[in-house]
Amino acid sequence: SQTIHQWPATLVQPVGSPLSLECTVEGTSNPNLYWYRQAAGRGLQLLFYSVGIGQISSEVPQNLSASRPQDRQFILSSKKLLLSDSGFYLCAWGMEVKQYFGPGTRLTVT
Amino acid sequence: GQQLNQSPQSMFIQEGEDVSMNCTSSSIFNTWLWYKQDPGEGPVLLIALYKAGELTSNGRLTAQFGITRKDSFLNISASIPSDVGIYFCAGSTGNQFYFGTGTSLTVIP
């Protein structure tokens, strides 16, 4: 069966510091991968999605970036965090027409 | 990106009552999905619907894919305290997924 991992689970970072969130999927090959941000328990905002290694599509212009160095690894990064980057970050993988979410990372920028 | 209209935004019900929520879109989707999210966790897929008019059950949950392909409904029968959470609908066109704004459900014992 497929599983999706995210780490860290929680993160507190000062404004202006870099960010790296990692997501890995097990038990499947060549999945579509997604990064979402969720504010205040609602509203899933799609940030990036990838249909293959090195293929990244950005939905919202911002100071975040994503990379897919391996088939089942998806990384969300920032060079300098803003206060507005605080939120709950969810990674998801999709196959065919269904999508499955990871446990999420709670990011607090102070 | 496109966002689906989900209603109601929140519900407060007594344990044992039935619940209904719906999701509408201005666009046609090939697939409708329903998720439940517990606090601090990722959404969990509850039901997937693949064709117009389809009615699918998962235990006490029943969901329907609207005939127009622009809407979907989720019903929960005989609610219990563990049904508490936020329910999201999502429409899929294949690689792309569009989410509703969520329905927050509170079940009063």
Side-chain angles (χ1 to χ4, degrees):
Chain A
S1 63
Q2 299 85 10
T3 56
I4 179 169
H5 304 280
Q6 284 186 247
W7 62 89
T10 59
L11 190 60
V12 180
Q13 292 283 95
V15 168
S17 64
L19 173 73
S20 181
L21 302 181
E22 190 165 342
C23 171
T24 58
V25 180
E26 296 177 354
T28 186
S29 296
N30 196 31
N32 295 330
L33 296 173
Y34 306 80
W35 278 112
Y36 292 87
R37 178 168 58 203
Q38 185 178 35
R42 297 286 189 108
L44 293 163
Q45 179 188 30
L46 178 63
L47 302 175
F48 301 95
Y49 73 93
S50 171
V51 298
I53 295 174
Q55 301 177 63
I56 308 295
S57 296
S58 175
E59 289 294 306
V60 181
Q62 58 218 326
N63 69 319
L64 300 172
S65 62
S67 62
R68 185 171 177 172
Q70 300 180 43
D71 181 44
R72 290 169 288 177
Q73 184 185 30
F74 206 21
I75 296 172
L76 182 69
S77 304
S78 174
K79 292 182 179 178
K80 289 185 178 181
L81 283 168
L82 307 172
L83 284 174
S84 57
D85 290 325
S86 293
F88 192 48
Y89 288 81
L90 289 159
C91 180
W93 73 274
M95 186 66 74
E96 297 176 348
V97 294
K98 291 190 281 190
Q99 191 174 62
Y100 301 90
F101 287 86
T105 294
R106 173 72 60 191
L107 172 66
T108 303
V109 182
T110 61
Chain B
Q2 180 179 170
Q3 199 151 54
L4 309 183
N5 297 313
Q6 192 171 344
S7 64
Q9 286 191 346
S10 60
M11 302 182 72
F12 294 82
I13 62 169
Q14 294 286 339
E15 182 177 356
E17 289 184 352
D18 297 343
V19 173
S20 292
M21 59 190 78
N22 68 77
C23 199
T24 60
S25 168
S26 58
S27 302
I28 290 173
F29 290 110
N30 299 325
T31 303
W32 281 94
L33 307 170
W34 284 93
Y35 293 85
K36 182 193 177 202
Q37 185 177 27
D38 291 328
E41 299 182 13
V44 174
L45 181 63
L46 299 173
I47 291 179
L49 302 157
Y50 302 105
K51 60 181 181 181
E54 178 182 354
L55 189 70
T56 297
S57 293
N58 178 6
R60 294 178 294 105
L61 278 61
T62 302
Q64 185 164 21
F65 193 139
I67 292 293
T68 65
R69 296 171 62 193
K70 293 183 178 181
D71 57 2
S72 181
F73 305 86
L74 176 69
N75 295 315
I76 305 173
S77 62
S79 59
I80 59 178
S82 62
D83 291 333
V84 165
I86 300 178
Y87 292 80
F88 290 98
C89 61
S92 171
T93 58
N95 289 337
Q96 297 277 18
F97 297 82
Y98 302 91
F99 284 84
T101 49
T103 294
S104 176
L105 177 63
T106 301
V107 179
I108 303 167

